[in-house]
Amino acid sequence: MIHKIQFNICGLLFLAFINLFAQKKPNIILIMADDMGYSDIGCYGGEIQTPNLDALAKNGVRFSQFYNNARCCPTRASILTGLYPHQAGVGGMVGNGHGDLSEKAVTIAEVLKSNDYATYMTGKWHVADSSTKDDMHNWPNQRGFDNFFGTIRGAGSYFEPHTLTYNNKTVKLSVEDDFYYTDAISDSTVTCLNRHFKEKKDKPFFFYVAYTAPHWPLHALQKDIDKYKGVFNKGWDVLREERLVRMKNLGVVAKHTQLSKRNPNAKPWDIIENKAWELQRMMTYAAQIDNMDQGIGRILEKLKTENALDNTLILFLSDNGGCDELLKGVKKWVNAKEVTETLDGKTVSTGNIPGVMSGPASTYMSYGGSWANLSNTPYRKYKKSGHQGGVATPFIVHWPNGFKLKDKIKTEVASIIDVMPTILEAAKGTYPKTYNGNKIKPMEGVSLLPVFNNKSLDRDEWFVEHGTNKAYRKGVWKIAFSRDDKHAKKWELYNLQEDPTERFNLASQYPEKLQEMTKIWVKWAKRVGVIKK
């Protein structure tokens, strides 16, 4: 009888333990870089030192055919909602009435908060029409985040960013703060995690860490810039060739991949006169990514200290490809203070002025099309384009408790609309049909969890539209809209299996295939609100 009681007690304890383990939902961290090219980080072939991202890749999976929406705010709207940008209310660039996150869409934070998650965010928001306190209905705290530190606007100085906010309060900086935005995002993430583990240790969390690095302006700490002296001296032409070799060896591109031609707005390195100035720009860009990786390392170290790393689903990607913007007329786009005077009263040299060395707060420049061409190796074109250089992103997933795959590269065609359903399935969350009295649009994406367990994804297509930039992929075939000639804008057709870098337009050779795919794109565009019915 005693043995039977002991057995029953042991059985009940065992079941309780199993139930407790089964109920342990994962923590989730979604990390996004800003304006970073496909091949910039080490585990995708780049020269930049990213040991922490490389470690996540080595102990997780990388995708070689993952797509974003080619530009900041439409990507962010999609990733937060699992919808296409127009469905989420951000078909155009947010601000001035052109885009605002829809109340008929629900954010990951809103869903997970309803499923008993703590929800946090640091960094760039950029999905609200208003960036002033006159209208905060679409700010992070109002869209599901318990705690927020970051910026509402899309771009700004790293030393005195405009719209810097803690929850709904404006943050004022002084010279004594010794502020650098990338470090602030990383350190405030660690601080928030520290508070979470002290006060809510038994509650799972969702953390959206949205870096502005390496988006212009080229602002970096000198200690990080100095690490890249000599690294880029061969110039972008040779470095593109060397990157491609490493990418093939890593397996992030196919062995038969050919380097695309140098983009028209990228000059041959041999004819460049201001080489020291050009090298400084790329060194600063590299330093911005390096500093971001250092911060990710501090976040990972905090998770390790709390014994939480294995049960944390971590996802990393970029919002669009490398950016060739030259900042002509930038004073019209950004806060006047940051392009006129620094926090300590120095005059800002605004724009890409040869001889003015990038890095400090007293400069405000971008790295230009030639270096962006390197960032997007081996692909064509840049941010805003539906071609591979604009929409291909590194995508790293790490979750030791969720899957056993390590250092694997997945070739499934997937995109940012798949992030929300992946996170919800991992969290065992329920997606609502209504929220705050609004009927919610169904998610468009699919969960990628089966892919992490070596199952195929039951879908091989992807759509995008932003402005006049548009594309559609189905299997190995892809159409993209070219704007190279303003008098002859047209759809192009590519076979990405044979021609991964879109060198040969097959539109005239396969007109029926082009017509078939453009019809599908138009049908999709009407359904999701790109084209008004």
Coordinates of all heavy atoms in Angstrom, one line a residue, residues 199-283:
E199 N 12.0 41.3 -11.6 CA 10.6 41.5 -11.2 C 9.6 40.5 -11.8 O 8.5 40.3 -11.3 CB 10.2 42.9 -11.6 CG 11.0 44.0 -10.9 CD 10.7 45.4 -11.4 OE1 9.8 45.6 -12.2 OE2 11.4 46.4 -10.9
K200 N 9.9 40.0 -13.0 CA 8.9 39.1 -13.7 C 9.6 37.9 -14.3 O 9.3 37.4 -15.4 CB 8.3 39.9 -14.9 CG 7.6 41.2 -14.5 CD 7.1 41.9 -15.7 CE 6.4 43.2 -15.3 NZ 5.9 44.0 -16.5
K201 N 10.5 37.3 -13.5 CA 11.3 36.2 -13.9 C 10.5 35.0 -14.5 O 10.9 34.3 -15.4 CB 12.2 35.7 -12.8 CG 13.3 34.7 -13.2 CD 14.2 34.3 -12.1 CE 15.2 33.3 -12.5 NZ 16.2 33.9 -13.5
D202 N 9.3 34.8 -13.9 CA 8.5 33.6 -14.3 C 7.6 33.9 -15.6 O 6.9 33.1 -16.0 CB 7.6 33.2 -13.2 CG 8.4 32.6 -12.0 OD1 9.5 32.1 -12.3 OD2 8.0 32.8 -10.9
K203 N 7.7 35.2 -16.1 CA 6.9 35.6 -17.2 C 7.7 35.6 -18.5 O 8.8 36.2 -18.4 CB 6.2 36.9 -16.9 CG 5.1 37.3 -17.9 CD 4.4 38.5 -17.3 CE 3.2 38.8 -18.2 NZ 2.4 39.9 -17.6
P204 N 7.3 35.1 -19.6 CA 8.1 35.2 -20.8 C 8.0 36.6 -21.3 O 7.1 37.4 -21.0 CB 7.4 34.2 -21.8 CG 6.0 34.2 -21.3 CD 6.0 34.3 -19.8
F205 N 9.0 37.0 -22.1 CA 9.0 38.3 -22.7 C 9.2 38.3 -24.2 O 9.8 37.3 -24.8 CB 10.1 39.2 -22.1 CG 11.5 38.7 -22.4 CD1 12.1 39.0 -23.6 CD2 12.2 38.0 -21.4 CE1 13.4 38.6 -23.9 CE2 13.5 37.6 -21.7 CZ 14.1 37.9 -22.9
F206 N 8.7 39.3 -24.9 CA 9.0 39.6 -26.3 C 9.7 40.9 -26.3 O 9.2 41.9 -25.8 CB 7.7 39.7 -27.1 CG 7.9 40.3 -28.5 CD1 8.7 39.7 -29.4 CD2 7.3 41.5 -28.8 CE1 8.9 40.2 -30.7 CE2 7.5 42.1 -30.1 CZ 8.3 41.4 -31.0
F207 N 10.9 40.9 -27.0 CA 11.7 42.2 -27.1 C 12.0 42.5 -28.5 O 12.5 41.6 -29.2 CB 13.0 42.0 -26.3 CG 13.5 43.2 -25.6 CD1 13.8 43.2 -24.2 CD2 13.6 44.4 -26.2 CE1 14.3 44.3 -23.6 CE2 14.0 45.6 -25.6 CZ 14.3 45.5 -24.2
Y208 N 11.6 43.6 -29.0 CA 11.9 44.1 -30.3 C 13.0 45.1 -30.2 O 12.8 46.2 -29.7 CB 10.6 44.7 -30.9 CG 10.7 45.4 -32.3 CD1 11.6 44.8 -33.3 CD2 9.9 46.5 -32.6 CE1 11.6 45.4 -34.5 CE2 10.0 47.0 -33.9 CZ 10.8 46.5 -34.8 OH 10.9 47.1 -36.1
V209 N 14.2 44.8 -30.7 CA 15.4 45.6 -30.7 C 15.7 46.1 -32.1 O 16.2 45.4 -32.9 CB 16.6 44.8 -30.1 CG1 17.8 45.8 -30.0 CG2 16.3 44.2 -28.8
A210 N 15.3 47.4 -32.3 CA 15.4 47.9 -33.7 C 16.5 49.0 -33.8 O 16.3 50.2 -33.6 CB 14.0 48.5 -34.1
Y211 N 17.7 48.5 -34.1 CA 18.8 49.4 -34.3 C 18.6 50.3 -35.5 O 18.0 50.0 -36.5 CB 20.1 48.6 -34.5 CG 20.6 47.9 -33.3 CD1 20.3 46.5 -33.1 CD2 21.3 48.6 -32.3 CE1 20.8 45.9 -31.9 CE2 21.8 47.9 -31.2 CZ 21.5 46.6 -31.0 OH 22.0 45.9 -29.9
T212 N 19.2 51.5 -35.4 CA 19.3 52.4 -36.5 C 20.6 52.2 -37.3 O 20.7 52.6 -38.4 CB 19.3 53.9 -36.1 OG1 20.3 54.2 -35.2 CG2 17.9 54.2 -35.5
A213 N 21.6 51.5 -36.7 CA 22.8 51.2 -37.4 C 22.6 50.2 -38.5 O 21.8 49.2 -38.3 CB 23.8 50.6 -36.4
P214 N 23.2 50.3 -39.7 CA 24.2 51.4 -40.0 C 23.6 52.5 -40.9 O 24.3 53.0 -41.8 CB 25.2 50.6 -40.8 CG 24.4 49.6 -41.5 CD 23.3 49.2 -40.6
H215 N 22.3 52.8 -40.8 CA 21.6 53.9 -41.6 C 22.4 55.2 -41.4 O 23.0 55.5 -40.4 CB 20.2 54.1 -41.0 CG 19.3 54.9 -41.8 ND1 19.5 56.2 -42.1 CD2 18.1 54.6 -42.5 CE1 18.5 56.7 -42.8 NE2 17.7 55.7 -43.1
W216 N 22.5 56.0 -42.5 CA 23.1 57.3 -42.4 C 22.4 58.1 -41.3 O 21.2 57.8 -41.0 CB 23.1 58.0 -43.8 CG 21.7 58.1 -44.5 CD1 21.3 57.4 -45.5 CD2 20.7 59.1 -44.2 NE1 20.0 57.8 -45.9 CE2 19.6 58.8 -45.1 CE3 20.5 60.1 -43.3 CZ2 18.4 59.5 -45.1 CZ3 19.3 60.8 -43.3 CH2 18.3 60.6 -44.2
P217 N 23.1 59.1 -40.7 CA 24.4 59.6 -41.1 C 25.5 58.7 -40.5 O 25.3 57.9 -39.6 CB 24.5 60.9 -40.3 CG 23.6 60.7 -39.1 CD 22.5 59.9 -39.7
L218 N 26.7 58.8 -41.1 CA 27.9 58.0 -40.8 C 28.5 58.5 -39.5 O 29.4 59.3 -39.5 CB 28.9 58.0 -41.9 CG 28.5 57.3 -43.2 CD1 29.6 57.5 -44.2 CD2 28.3 55.8 -43.0
H219 N 27.9 58.1 -38.4 CA 28.3 58.5 -37.0 C 28.8 57.2 -36.3 O 28.1 56.2 -36.1 CB 27.2 59.1 -36.2 CG 26.9 60.5 -36.6 ND1 25.7 61.1 -36.2 CD2 27.6 61.4 -37.4 CE1 25.7 62.4 -36.7 NE2 26.8 62.5 -37.4
A220 N 30.1 57.3 -35.8 CA 30.6 56.1 -35.1 C 31.7 56.6 -34.1 O 32.2 57.7 -34.2 CB 31.3 55.1 -36.1
L221 N 32.0 55.7 -33.1 CA 33.0 56.0 -32.1 C 34.4 55.7 -32.7 O 34.6 54.7 -33.5 CB 32.7 55.1 -30.9 CG 31.4 55.2 -30.3 CD1 31.3 54.2 -29.1 CD2 31.1 56.6 -29.8
Q222 N 35.3 56.6 -32.4 CA 36.7 56.5 -33.0 C 37.3 55.1 -32.7 O 38.0 54.5 -33.6 CB 37.6 57.6 -32.4 CG 38.9 57.7 -33.2 CD 38.6 58.1 -34.7 OE1 37.9 59.0 -35.0 NE2 39.3 57.4 -35.5
K223 N 37.1 54.6 -31.5 CA 37.7 53.3 -31.2 C 37.2 52.2 -32.1 O 37.9 51.2 -32.4 CB 37.3 52.9 -29.7 CG 35.9 52.6 -29.5 CD 35.6 52.1 -28.0 CE 34.2 51.8 -27.8 NZ 33.7 50.6 -28.6
D224 N 36.0 52.3 -32.6 CA 35.4 51.3 -33.5 C 35.9 51.5 -35.0 O 36.2 50.6 -35.7 CB 33.9 51.3 -33.5 CG 33.4 50.8 -32.1 OD1 34.0 50.0 -31.5 OD2 32.3 51.3 -31.7
I225 N 36.0 52.8 -35.3 CA 36.5 53.2 -36.7 C 38.0 52.7 -36.8 O 38.4 52.1 -37.9 CB 36.5 54.7 -36.9 CG1 35.0 55.2 -36.9 CG2 37.1 55.1 -38.2 CD1 34.8 56.7 -37.0
D226 N 38.8 52.9 -35.8 CA 40.2 52.5 -35.8 C 40.4 51.0 -36.1 O 41.5 50.6 -36.7 CB 40.9 52.9 -34.5 CG 41.0 54.4 -34.4 OD1 40.9 55.1 -35.4 OD2 41.3 54.8 -33.2
K227 N 39.5 50.2 -35.8 CA 39.6 48.7 -36.0 C 39.7 48.4 -37.5 O 40.1 47.3 -37.9 CB 38.5 48.0 -35.4 CG 38.4 48.0 -33.9 CD 37.2 47.5 -33.3 CE 36.9 46.1 -33.5 NZ 35.7 45.6 -32.7
Y228 N 39.2 49.3 -38.4 CA 39.1 49.0 -39.8 C 40.1 49.7 -40.7 O 40.0 49.7 -41.9 CB 37.7 49.3 -40.2 CG 36.7 48.3 -39.6 CD1 36.1 48.6 -38.4 CD2 36.6 47.0 -40.1 CE1 35.3 47.6 -37.7 CE2 35.8 46.1 -39.4 CZ 35.2 46.4 -38.3 OH 34.4 45.4 -37.6
K229 N 41.2 50.2 -40.0 CA 42.3 50.8 -40.8 C 42.9 49.7 -41.7 O 43.3 48.7 -41.2 CB 43.3 51.4 -39.9 CG 42.8 52.7 -39.2 CD 43.9 53.3 -38.3 CE 43.4 54.6 -37.7 NZ 44.4 55.2 -36.8
G230 N 42.9 49.9 -43.0 CA 43.6 49.0 -43.9 C 42.6 47.9 -44.4 O 43.0 47.2 -45.4
V231 N 41.5 47.7 -43.8 CA 40.6 46.5 -44.1 C 40.0 46.7 -45.5 O 39.9 45.7 -46.3 CB 39.5 46.4 -43.1 CG1 38.5 45.3 -43.5 CG2 40.1 46.0 -41.7
F232 N 39.7 47.9 -45.9 CA 39.0 48.1 -47.2 C 39.9 48.8 -48.3 O 39.4 49.2 -49.3 CB 37.8 49.0 -47.0 CG 36.8 48.4 -46.0 CD1 36.7 49.0 -44.7 CD2 36.0 47.3 -46.3 CE1 35.9 48.4 -43.7 CE2 35.2 46.8 -45.4 CZ 35.1 47.3 -44.1
N233 N 41.2 48.8 -48.0 CA 42.1 49.5 -48.9 C 42.2 49.0 -50.4 O 42.6 49.7 -51.3 CB 43.6 49.5 -48.3 CG 43.7 50.4 -47.2 OD1 42.7 50.9 -46.6 ND2 44.9 50.7 -46.8
K234 N 41.8 47.7 -50.6 CA 41.8 47.2 -52.0 C 40.7 47.8 -52.8 O 40.7 47.7 -54.0 CB 41.6 45.7 -51.9 CG 42.7 44.9 -51.3 CD 42.4 43.4 -51.2 CE 43.5 42.6 -50.5 NZ 43.2 41.1 -50.4
G235 N 39.7 48.4 -52.2 CA 38.6 49.1 -52.9 C 37.5 48.1 -53.2 O 37.6 46.9 -53.1
W236 N 36.3 48.7 -53.5 CA 35.1 47.9 -53.7 C 35.1 46.9 -54.8 O 34.5 45.8 -54.6 CB 33.9 48.9 -53.8 CG 34.1 50.0 -54.8 CD1 34.2 50.0 -56.1 CD2 34.2 51.4 -54.4 NE1 34.4 51.2 -56.7 CE2 34.4 52.1 -55.6 CE3 34.2 52.1 -53.2 CZ2 34.6 53.5 -55.7 CZ3 34.4 53.5 -53.3 CH2 34.5 54.1 -54.5
D237 N 35.9 47.1 -55.9 CA 35.9 46.1 -57.0 C 36.5 44.8 -56.5 O 35.9 43.7 -56.7 CB 36.6 46.7 -58.2 CG 35.8 47.9 -58.8 OD1 34.6 47.8 -58.9 OD2 36.4 48.9 -59.2
V238 N 37.7 44.9 -56.0 CA 38.4 43.7 -55.5 C 37.6 43.0 -54.4 O 37.5 41.8 -54.3 CB 39.8 44.0 -55.1 CG1 40.5 42.8 -54.5 CG2 40.6 44.4 -56.3
L239 N 37.1 43.9 -53.4 CA 36.4 43.3 -52.3 C 35.2 42.6 -52.6 O 34.8 41.6 -52.0 CB 36.2 44.4 -51.3 CG 37.4 45.1 -50.6 CD1 37.0 46.3 -49.8 CD2 38.1 44.0 -49.7
R240 N 34.5 43.1 -53.7 CA 33.3 42.4 -54.1 C 33.6 41.0 -54.6 O 32.9 40.0 -54.3 CB 32.6 43.1 -55.3 CG 31.8 44.4 -54.8 CD 31.1 45.0 -56.0 NE 29.9 44.3 -56.4 CZ 29.5 44.1 -57.6 NH1 30.2 44.4 -58.6 NH2 28.4 43.4 -57.8
E241 N 34.7 40.9 -55.4 CA 35.2 39.6 -55.8 C 35.5 38.6 -54.7 O 35.2 37.4 -54.7 CB 36.3 39.7 -56.8 CG 36.0 40.5 -58.1 CD 37.2 40.8 -58.9 OE1 38.3 40.5 -58.5 OE2 37.0 41.3 -60.1
E242 N 36.2 39.2 -53.7 CA 36.7 38.4 -52.6 C 35.5 37.9 -51.7 O 35.4 36.8 -51.2 CB 37.7 39.1 -51.7 CG 39.0 39.4 -52.4 CD 40.0 40.1 -51.6 OE1 39.6 40.6 -50.5 OE2 41.2 40.2 -52.0
R243 N 34.5 38.8 -51.6 CA 33.3 38.5 -50.8 C 32.6 37.3 -51.5 O 32.1 36.4 -50.8 CB 32.3 39.7 -50.7 CG 32.6 40.6 -49.6 CD 31.4 41.5 -49.3 NE 31.7 42.5 -48.3 CZ 30.9 43.3 -47.8 NH1 29.6 43.3 -48.1 NH2 31.2 44.3 -46.9
L244 N 32.4 37.4 -52.8 CA 31.7 36.3 -53.5 C 32.4 35.0 -53.3 O 31.7 34.0 -53.1 CB 31.6 36.6 -55.0 CG 30.9 35.6 -55.8 CD1 29.5 35.4 -55.3 CD2 30.8 36.0 -57.3
V245 N 33.7 34.9 -53.3 CA 34.4 33.6 -53.0 C 34.0 33.1 -51.6 O 33.7 31.9 -51.4 CB 35.9 33.8 -53.1 CG1 36.6 32.6 -52.7 CG2 36.3 34.1 -54.6
R246 N 34.1 34.0 -50.6 CA 33.7 33.6 -49.3 C 32.3 33.1 -49.2 O 31.9 32.2 -48.5 CB 34.0 34.7 -48.3 CG 35.5 35.0 -48.0 CD 35.7 35.9 -46.8 NE 35.1 37.2 -46.9 CZ 35.7 38.2 -47.5 NH1 36.9 38.1 -47.9 NH2 35.1 39.4 -47.5
M247 N 31.4 33.9 -49.9 CA 30.0 33.5 -49.8 C 29.7 32.1 -50.4 O 28.9 31.4 -49.9 CB 29.2 34.6 -50.6 CG 29.2 36.0 -49.9 SD 28.4 37.3 -50.9 CE 26.7 37.0 -50.5
K248 N 30.4 31.8 -51.5 CA 30.2 30.5 -52.0 C 30.8 29.4 -51.1 O 30.1 28.4 -50.9 CB 31.0 30.4 -53.4 CG 30.4 31.2 -54.5 CD 31.2 31.1 -55.8 CE 30.5 31.8 -56.9 NZ 31.3 31.7 -58.2
N249 N 31.9 29.7 -50.4 CA 32.5 28.7 -49.5 C 31.5 28.6 -48.3 O 31.4 27.5 -47.7 CB 33.8 29.2 -49.0 CG 34.9 29.1 -50.1 OD1 34.7 28.3 -51.1 ND2 35.9 29.9 -50.0
L250 N 30.9 29.6 -47.9 CA 29.9 29.5 -46.7 C 28.6 28.9 -47.1 O 27.9 28.3 -46.2 CB 29.6 31.0 -46.2 CG 30.7 31.7 -45.4 CD1 30.4 33.2 -45.2 CD2 30.9 31.0 -44.1
G251 N 28.3 28.9 -48.4 CA 27.1 28.3 -48.9 C 25.9 29.2 -48.9 O 24.7 28.8 -49.0
V252 N 26.1 30.6 -48.7 CA 25.0 31.5 -48.7 C 24.6 31.9 -50.1 O 23.5 32.5 -50.3 CB 25.3 32.8 -47.8 CG1 25.4 32.4 -46.4 CG2 26.5 33.5 -48.3
V253 N 25.4 31.6 -51.1 CA 25.0 31.7 -52.5 C 25.4 30.4 -53.2 O 26.3 29.7 -52.7 CB 25.6 32.9 -53.2 CG1 25.1 34.2 -52.6 CG2 27.1 32.8 -53.2
A254 N 24.8 30.1 -54.3 CA 25.1 28.9 -55.1 C 26.5 29.0 -55.7 O 27.0 30.1 -56.0 CB 24.1 28.7 -56.2
K255 N 27.2 27.9 -55.9 CA 28.5 27.8 -56.4 C 28.6 28.4 -57.8 O 29.7 29.0 -58.2 CB 29.0 26.4 -56.5 CG 29.2 25.7 -55.1 CD 30.4 26.3 -54.4 CE 30.7 25.6 -53.1 NZ 31.9 26.2 -52.4
H256 N 27.6 28.4 -58.6 CA 27.6 28.9 -60.0 C 27.3 30.4 -60.0 O 27.3 31.0 -61.1 CB 26.7 28.2 -60.9 CG 25.2 28.4 -60.6 ND1 24.6 27.7 -59.6 CD2 24.3 29.2 -61.1 CE1 23.3 28.1 -59.6 NE2 23.1 29.0 -60.5
T257 N 27.1 31.1 -58.9 CA 26.7 32.5 -58.9 C 27.8 33.3 -59.5 O 29.0 33.2 -59.2 CB 26.4 33.0 -57.4 OG1 25.4 32.2 -56.9 CG2 26.1 34.4 -57.4
Q258 N 27.4 34.2 -60.4 CA 28.3 35.2 -61.0 C 28.1 36.6 -60.4 O 27.0 37.0 -60.1 CB 28.1 35.2 -62.5 CG 28.3 33.9 -63.2 CD 29.8 33.5 -63.1 OE1 30.7 34.2 -63.5 NE2 30.0 32.2 -62.7
L259 N 29.2 37.3 -60.2 CA 29.1 38.7 -59.7 C 28.3 39.6 -60.7 O 28.6 39.6 -61.9 CB 30.5 39.2 -59.5 CG 30.6 40.5 -58.6 CD1 30.2 40.2 -57.2 CD2 32.1 40.9 -58.6
S260 N 27.4 40.3 -60.2 CA 26.7 41.3 -61.0 C 27.7 42.4 -61.5 O 28.7 42.6 -60.8 CB 25.5 41.9 -60.3 OG 25.9 42.6 -59.2
K261 N 27.4 43.0 -62.6 CA 28.2 44.1 -63.0 C 28.2 45.3 -62.0 O 27.2 45.4 -61.2 CB 27.7 44.7 -64.4 CG 28.0 43.7 -65.5 CD 27.5 44.3 -66.8 CE 27.7 43.3 -68.0 NZ 27.2 43.9 -69.3
R262 N 29.2 46.0 -61.9 CA 29.2 47.2 -61.1 C 28.0 48.1 -61.4 O 27.8 48.3 -62.6 CB 30.5 48.0 -61.2 CG 30.7 49.2 -60.3 CD 31.8 50.1 -60.6 NE 33.1 49.4 -60.8 CZ 33.6 49.3 -62.0 NH1 33.0 49.8 -63.1 NH2 34.8 48.7 -62.2
N263 N 27.3 48.5 -60.4 CA 26.1 49.4 -60.7 C 26.5 50.7 -61.4 O 27.6 51.2 -61.1 CB 25.4 49.7 -59.4 CG 24.5 48.5 -59.0 OD1 24.4 47.5 -59.7 ND2 23.9 48.6 -57.8
P264 N 25.7 51.2 -62.2 CA 26.0 52.4 -63.0 C 26.4 53.6 -62.1 O 27.2 54.4 -62.5 CB 24.7 52.8 -63.7 CG 24.0 51.5 -63.9 CD 24.3 50.7 -62.6
N265 N 25.9 53.7 -60.9 CA 26.2 54.8 -60.0 C 27.4 54.5 -59.1 O 27.6 55.1 -58.1 CB 25.0 55.4 -59.3 CG 24.3 54.3 -58.5 OD1 24.6 53.1 -58.7 ND2 23.4 54.7 -57.7
A266 N 28.1 53.4 -59.4 CA 29.3 53.0 -58.7 C 30.5 53.2 -59.7 O 30.5 52.6 -60.7 CB 29.2 51.6 -58.2
K267 N 31.5 53.9 -59.3 CA 32.7 54.1 -60.1 C 33.8 53.1 -59.9 O 33.9 52.5 -58.8 CB 33.2 55.5 -59.9 CG 32.3 56.7 -60.2 CD 32.9 58.0 -59.9 CE 31.9 59.2 -60.2 NZ 32.5 60.5 -59.8
P268 N 34.6 52.9 -60.9 CA 35.8 52.0 -60.7 C 36.7 52.5 -59.6 O 37.0 53.7 -59.5 CB 36.5 52.0 -62.0 CG 35.5 52.4 -63.0 CD 34.6 53.4 -62.3
W269 N 37.2 51.6 -58.7 CA 38.0 52.1 -57.6 C 39.3 52.7 -58.1 O 39.8 53.7 -57.5 CB 38.3 50.9 -56.7 CG 39.3 51.3 -55.6 CD1 40.6 50.9 -55.4 CD2 39.0 52.0 -54.4 NE1 41.1 51.4 -54.3 CE2 40.2 52.1 -53.6 CE3 37.8 52.7 -53.9 CZ2 40.2 52.7 -52.4 CZ3 37.9 53.3 -52.7 CH2 39.1 53.4 -51.9
D270 N 39.8 52.2 -59.2 CA 41.1 52.7 -59.7 C 41.1 54.2 -60.1 O 42.2 54.9 -60.1 CB 41.5 51.9 -61.0 CG 41.9 50.5 -60.6 OD1 42.1 50.2 -59.4 OD2 42.0 49.6 -61.5
I271 N 39.9 54.8 -60.4 CA 39.9 56.2 -60.9 C 39.5 57.1 -59.7 O 39.5 58.3 -59.9 CB 38.9 56.4 -62.0 CG1 37.5 56.2 -61.6 CG2 39.2 55.4 -63.2 CD1 36.4 56.6 -62.6
I272 N 39.3 56.6 -58.6 CA 38.9 57.4 -57.4 C 40.1 58.2 -56.9 O 41.2 57.7 -56.7 CB 38.4 56.6 -56.3 CG1 37.1 55.9 -56.7 CG2 38.1 57.4 -55.0 CD1 36.0 56.8 -57.1
E273 N 39.9 59.5 -56.8 CA 41.0 60.4 -56.4 C 41.1 60.6 -54.8 O 42.1 60.6 -54.2 CB 40.9 61.8 -57.0 CG 41.0 61.8 -58.5 CD 40.9 63.1 -59.2 OE1 40.6 64.1 -58.4 OE2 41.0 63.2 -60.4
N274 N 39.9 60.7 -54.2 CA 39.9 60.9 -52.8 C 39.7 59.6 -52.0 O 38.8 59.3 -51.3 CB 38.7 61.8 -52.4 CG 38.8 63.2 -53.1 OD1 39.7 63.9 -52.9 ND2 37.8 63.5 -53.9
K275 N 40.8 58.7 -52.2 CA 40.7 57.4 -51.6 C 40.6 57.4 -50.1 O 39.9 56.6 -49.4 CB 41.8 56.5 -52.1 CG 41.7 56.0 -53.5 CD 42.8 55.0 -53.9 CE 42.5 54.3 -55.2 NZ 42.4 55.2 -56.4
A276 N 41.4 58.3 -49.4 CA 41.4 58.3 -48.0 C 40.0 58.7 -47.4 O 39.5 58.2 -46.4 CB 42.4 59.4 -47.5
W277 N 39.4 59.6 -48.1 CA 38.0 60.1 -47.7 C 37.0 58.9 -47.9 O 36.2 58.6 -47.1 CB 37.6 61.3 -48.5 CG 36.2 61.7 -48.3 CD1 35.7 62.3 -47.2 CD2 35.1 61.7 -49.3 NE1 34.4 62.6 -47.4 CE2 34.0 62.3 -48.6 CE3 35.0 61.2 -50.6 CZ2 32.7 62.3 -49.3 CZ3 33.8 61.3 -51.2 CH2 32.7 61.9 -50.6
E278 N 37.1 58.2 -49.1 CA 36.2 57.1 -49.4 C 36.4 56.0 -48.4 O 35.5 55.4 -47.9 CB 36.5 56.6 -50.8 CG 35.9 57.5 -51.9 CD 34.4 57.3 -52.0 OE1 33.7 56.8 -51.2 OE2 33.9 57.8 -53.1
L279 N 37.7 55.7 -48.0 CA 37.9 54.6 -47.1 C 37.4 55.0 -45.7 O 36.9 54.1 -45.0 CB 39.5 54.4 -47.0 CG 40.1 53.7 -48.2 CD1 41.6 53.7 -48.1 CD2 39.6 52.2 -48.3
Q280 N 37.5 56.3 -45.3 CA 36.9 56.7 -44.0 C 35.4 56.4 -44.0 O 34.9 56.0 -42.9 CB 37.2 58.2 -43.8 CG 36.7 58.7 -42.5 CD 37.5 58.3 -41.2 OE1 38.5 57.7 -41.4 NE2 36.9 58.5 -40.1
R281 N 34.8 56.7 -45.1 CA 33.3 56.5 -45.1 C 33.0 55.0 -44.9 O 32.1 54.7 -44.1 CB 32.7 56.9 -46.4 CG 32.7 58.4 -46.6 CD 31.7 58.9 -47.5 NE 31.9 58.6 -48.9 CZ 31.0 58.8 -49.9 NH1 29.8 59.3 -49.6 NH2 31.3 58.4 -51.2
M282 N 33.7 54.1 -45.5 CA 33.4 52.6 -45.3 C 33.8 52.2 -43.9 O 33.2 51.3 -43.3 CB 34.1 51.8 -46.4 CG 33.7 50.3 -46.4 SD 31.9 50.1 -46.6 CE 31.7 48.3 -46.1
M283 N 35.0 52.7 -43.5 CA 35.4 52.4 -42.1 C 34.4 52.8 -41.1 O 34.1 52.1 -40.1 CB 36.7 53.0 -41.8 CG 37.9 52.4 -42.6 SD 39.4 53.5 -42.6 CE 39.7 53.8 -40.8

